[in-house]
């Protein structure tokens, strides 16, 4: 059972436009969410995170929005740049998941292609 | 130098062979993890370790074993490799610091079992 879902395997946007990547989760115990970016032949790198006590977190061109009632989060990239082309994974965790292990549960990823 | 290194980066092996993937880190983190990535399945946790004496199974540990030789080293073994273990394997580390859940990943090992 996939507890963290990214229903769009791929997304293509024009340079300068907004990219919106979506993520849904099913476990209401999750209280912390992260986005990772992965380039080919490299490991995932942390991008931005949000705690469940917030509904928005912003870092430069990247903003994550959390809608707890809908169990939905999204990553907005504005403006999108060709260098943003990568696979984006959302991940969820909880202090109380599996005995406060802080394990990350990952989604399946969305391949973002930013066209010049 | 990279904070989390993995060796080998690529490996092709035959069914039934034993293989070990190694991970080293210079971040000084206590927690280390092994994941595998398969197309359409994201990253799934195989094993994790919170210190040298603490090893735990993840969601897909069958067919794998691990060894935490030191704080900085965490190796993953496939005792008898099978083709469905063909995947991209990642090691990660983290440091328990209050509310930080961030994990730092190595570059990955691409394993092919023929």
């Amino acid at each position: 059972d996939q507890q963290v879902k990214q229903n769009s395997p791929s997304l293509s946007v024009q340079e300068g436009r907004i990219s919106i990547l979506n993520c849904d989760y099913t476990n209401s115990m999750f209280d912390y969410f992260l986005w990772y970016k992965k380039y080919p032949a490299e490991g995932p790198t942390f991008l931005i995170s949000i705690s469940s006590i917030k509904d928005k977190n912003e870092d430069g061109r990247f903003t994550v929005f959390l809608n707890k009632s809908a169990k939905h989060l999204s990553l907005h990239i504005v403006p999108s740049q060709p260098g943003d082309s990568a696979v984006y994974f959302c991940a969820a965790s909880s202090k109380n998941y599996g005995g406060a292990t802080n394990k990350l549960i990952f989604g399946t990823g969305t391949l973002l292609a930013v066209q010049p | 130098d990279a904070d989390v290194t993995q060796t080998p980066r690529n490996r092709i092996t035959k069914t039934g062979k034993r293989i070990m993937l190694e991970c080293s880190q210079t971040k000084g983190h206590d927690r280390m993890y092994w994941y595998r990535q398969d197309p359409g399945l994201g990253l799934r946790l195989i094993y994790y370790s919170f210190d040298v004496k603490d090893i735990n199974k993840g969601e897909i540990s069958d067919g794998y074993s691990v060894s935490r030789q030191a704080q900085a080293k965490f190796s993953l073994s496939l005792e008898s490799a099978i083709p469905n273990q063909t995947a991209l394997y990642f090691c990660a580390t983290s440091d328990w610091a209050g509310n930080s859940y961030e994990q730092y990943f190595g570059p990955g090992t691409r394993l092919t079992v023929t």
Side-chain angles (χ1 to χ4, degrees), chain B residues 26-37:
Chain B
T26 58
K27 299 189 73 68
H29 290 168
D30 287 326
R31 301 181 171 198
M32 298 188 73
Y33 310 79
W34 275 105
Y35 292 89
R36 66 177 277 176
Q37 184 191 357

Side-chain angles (χ1 to χ4, degrees), chain B residues 5-49:
Chain B
T5 58
Q6 292 183 234
T7 55
R9 292 295 313 275
N10 288 282
R11 180 71 182 267
I12 300 174
T13 191
K14 294 186 184 297
T15 297
K17 293 290 189 182
R18 183 180 189 276
I19 183 169
M20 179 182 289
L21 309 183
E22 299 188 344
C23 176
S24 295
Q25 53 112 347
T26 58
K27 299 189 73 68
H29 290 168
D30 287 326
R31 301 181 171 198
M32 298 188 73
Y33 310 79
W34 275 105
Y35 292 89
R36 66 177 277 176
Q37 184 191 357
D38 298 277
L41 293 178
L43 286 92
R44 294 181 292 166
L45 184 63
I46 306 172
Y47 270 96
Y48 60 101
S49 169

